[in-house]
Amino acid sequence: MKKLLTSPSKMALPEIESGIYQNILKQATDISLNLMAVKVTNHPEDFLGWCFELLDVAKRRINFDLLEDTQLPTVKKLQDLLQNAISYLQLKSLRVAPWPVLMMFIEGNKEALALDEQLALLTHIDALREQKLADMIVEDRLVFTGKYAATHDTSAYPFDCEWFAATKSAKGFHQVLADVPFSFDEALAHIPLEGDVTEAHYQAFIVAYLQAFNGIDDTPTLAPATRLLAMRRPDVFTPVMASKLDTLCMALGVARLSNRDFSRYWDDIVQTIHAMPWFRQSLPATELETTLTRYKALLPCWFYYVDEDTPEQSNYFKALNKPKRTSSGRATSGTKSVRRGKESATVLVDRALDNPDLPAYLQDKRDSIIAEVEKGRSVDETIQLLRTIFG
């Protein structure tokens, strides 16, 4: 373990990595006796591999039973620092990595990334992109803007809409979205759906976006705006998260960007990413690669740290694995019915009934299915119940 802890000092790390290492070492020193009890046989010669190895020790191999309660925050801090370091190093690699290297990384980590689920979200967004937010049902509007709700029926929404920069904590943003969604439509109208997007397009969007917050007792922030932009043009705009903005800026080699700095986002994030070799010279060779070129600006989102536990943090995964209803239709402990609006229930049911393989008697029960879905029952659950009764 001592050899592992000290090995980065021999790696000739750049200044930023050296600072990251020193911060990690401070936390490790406070639990050094516990770490020394862990046997280590793998000694990576690169800093990224070293971070992964020490993180595995801190998460899985340290004896938590021997830790004092006062040491647990130190272990958590150590884990967070290592995860941030991994995110930084992986994102930094985008500066020089060619397209095939990106594809190898994404395909090699597709399970931890929950890639199929994330692509299902993007496919759903593709079908919404030409609609106005004001014309969408509430559930679709929240999908586009990145906030999961209990009314997101897993049969109609087989994904967590909070991938690619969740906006659930942006209260002012969601107040505008609920009260005057057309104001965001006016902003998005400045971003063309096809062709080149210029800085003038972006600036016009920002002016309209900021005006949408007039009369709102909350300061508009950059992150939710980038979510709107990224879903409008995922081949141009990269969404940012306030909690990871410092890591992204360090990795891109730009000065720290404030979550209220709309002016620098275009030059420091958008243009910096567009100048990278993989972005300019992508050569799709497989069906997956062809798909990913449509969402090229989103690819950096997949270079933040993930592990095998990440897919289980998805709201979709949690919804799929929550306790089921009893045969009487009552929710078991820990669940509750969430009523939907009539319009939402109708759209969700009609999408399901659009399946030509469903028997005619289910089509005839459309109004009954809508009524049950409006009460909070899922579409699949309702259809299955009717199959049991009438099938």
Side-chain angles (χ1 to χ4, degrees):
M1 175 57 73
K2 183 177 180 181
K3 180 180 177 181
L4 178 70
L5 289 176
T6 59
S7 59
S9 62
K10 304 174 184 177
M11 294 180 185
L13 299 177
E15 183 178 355
I16 292 178
E17 281 92 321
S18 180
I20 291 172
Y21 169 56
Q22 293 301 323
N23 287 333
I24 291 171
L25 202 59
K26 289 177 184 177
Q27 301 300 319
T29 300
D30 292 339
I31 54 170
S32 58
L33 292 178
N34 305 82
L35 291 174
M36 290 300 175
V38 179
K39 184 178 180 180
V40 176
T41 58
N42 180 35
H43 296 89
E45 296 182 358
D46 63 289
F47 191 44
L48 178 60
W50 180 87
C51 290
F52 271 112
E53 181 67 17
L54 186 57
L55 179 59
D56 188 67
V57 170
K59 289 182 67 174
R60 300 177 181 85
R61 289 145 61 187
I62 195 171
N63 191 334
F64 282 86
D65 292 335
L66 298 180
L67 287 169
E68 301 289 340
D69 290 344
T70 55
Q71 293 177 306
L72 293 176
T74 301
V75 176
K76 179 63 169 63
K77 178 68 172 177
L78 177 61
Q79 294 173 0
D80 291 344
L81 287 172
L82 287 163
Q83 290 174 9
N84 289 338
I86 291 169
S87 294
Y88 161 75
L89 293 165
Q90 291 181 164
L91 285 164
K92 183 184 175 183
S93 71
L94 295 177
R95 296 189 200 177
V96 295
W99 176 261
V101 171
L102 262 73
M103 292 302 100
M104 287 178 58
F105 177 88
I106 292 170
E107 291 183 16
N109 290 277
K110 63 179 300 183
E111 298 300 328
L113 289 168
L115 185 62
D116 290 342
E117 182 185 328
Q118 296 202 46
L119 290 178
L121 164 61
L122 295 175
T123 300
H124 192 91
I125 294 288
D126 289 341
L128 299 177
R129 193 165 289 120
E130 294 187 8
Q131 295 183 42
K132 294 182 182 298
L133 291 167
D135 295 336
M136 295 179 191
I137 61 172
V138 172
E139 288 79 4
D140 282 345
R141 195 181 300 158
L142 293 177
V143 167
F144 195 93
T145 55
K147 182 180 178 182
Y148 183 83
T151 53
H152 281 123
D153 191 319
T154 54
S155 60
Y157 302 97
F159 48 76
D160 183 357
C161 53
E162 293 186 1
W163 299 111
F164 308 111
T167 63
K168 60 184 177 181
S169 61
K171 295 181 180 179
F173 173 81
H174 282 284
Q175 182 180 340
V176 174
L177 185 68
D179 295 344
V180 283
F182 59 83
S183 62
F184 286 152
D185 286 321
E186 292 172 357
L188 286 171
H190 293 288
I191 306 298
L193 284 169
E194 296 180 346
D196 292 339
V197 177
T198 66
E199 184 176 6
H201 291 139
Y202 170 72
Q203 294 296 345
F205 165 86
I206 291 303
V207 170
Y209 177 81
L210 295 176
Q211 288 175 346
F213 287 80
N214 289 341
I216 301 295
D217 189 22
D218 194 14
T219 303
T221 53
L222 176 64
T226 67
R227 166 70 185 213
L228 287 178
L229 290 166
M231 296 301 99
R232 177 78 168 183
R233 288 297 299 269
D235 59 329
V236 176
F237 295 101
T238 301
V240 301
M241 297 161 278
S243 61
K244 298 180 178 180
L245 197 48
D246 286 356
T247 298
L248 178 63
C249 290
M250 280 199 308
L252 297 182
V254 300
R256 184 177 180 274
L257 183 64
S258 164
N259 194 29
R260 293 188 173 89
D261 194 339
F262 293 88
S263 60
R264 285 181 47 217
Y265 169 75
W266 176 264
D267 287 331
D268 288 5
I269 305 297
V270 176
Q271 292 302 299
T272 298
I273 290 174
H274 285 204
M276 292 178 175
W278 60 269
F279 195 96
R280 292 184 289 107
Q281 302 170 358
S282 59
L283 297 172
T286 66
E287 183 178 351
L288 175 60
E289 291 180 29
T290 301
T291 298
L292 293 185
T293 56
R294 302 203 306 268
Y295 315 120
K296 194 186 299 185
L298 303 181
L299 267 56
C301 298
W302 291 328
F303 282 74
Y304 293 98
Y305 171 81
V306 295
D307 60 22
E308 65 272 16
D309 298 327
T310 300
E312 296 182 8
Q313 303 307 311
S314 158
N315 287 304
Y316 169 65
F317 179 89
K318 293 174 182 177
L320 281 180
N321 291 277
K322 71 181 181 181
K324 304 297 183 182
R325 293 173 180 270
T326 63
S327 58
S328 65
R330 295 179 179 177
T332 57
S333 60
T335 68
K336 62 179 181 179
S337 297
V338 180
R339 291 189 63 85
R340 297 179 178 85
K342 178 75 171 181
E343 182 186 12
S344 295
T346 301
V347 170
L348 295 178
V349 171
D350 285 344
R351 285 178 184 171
L353 294 181
D354 195 42
N355 182 354
D357 295 332
L358 289 178
Y361 71 81
L362 286 175
Q363 305 287 350
D364 295 338
K365 297 290 183 182
R366 175 178 177 272
D367 290 345
S368 298
I369 298 173
I370 290 173
E372 288 300 311
V373 172
E374 192 176 357
K375 293 175 186 176
R377 192 188 294 273
S378 76
V379 177
D380 276 357
E381 190 179 9
T382 305
I383 289 176
Q384 184 57 44
L385 180 61
L386 291 176
R387 281 182 182 275
T388 301
I389 296 173
F390 298 102

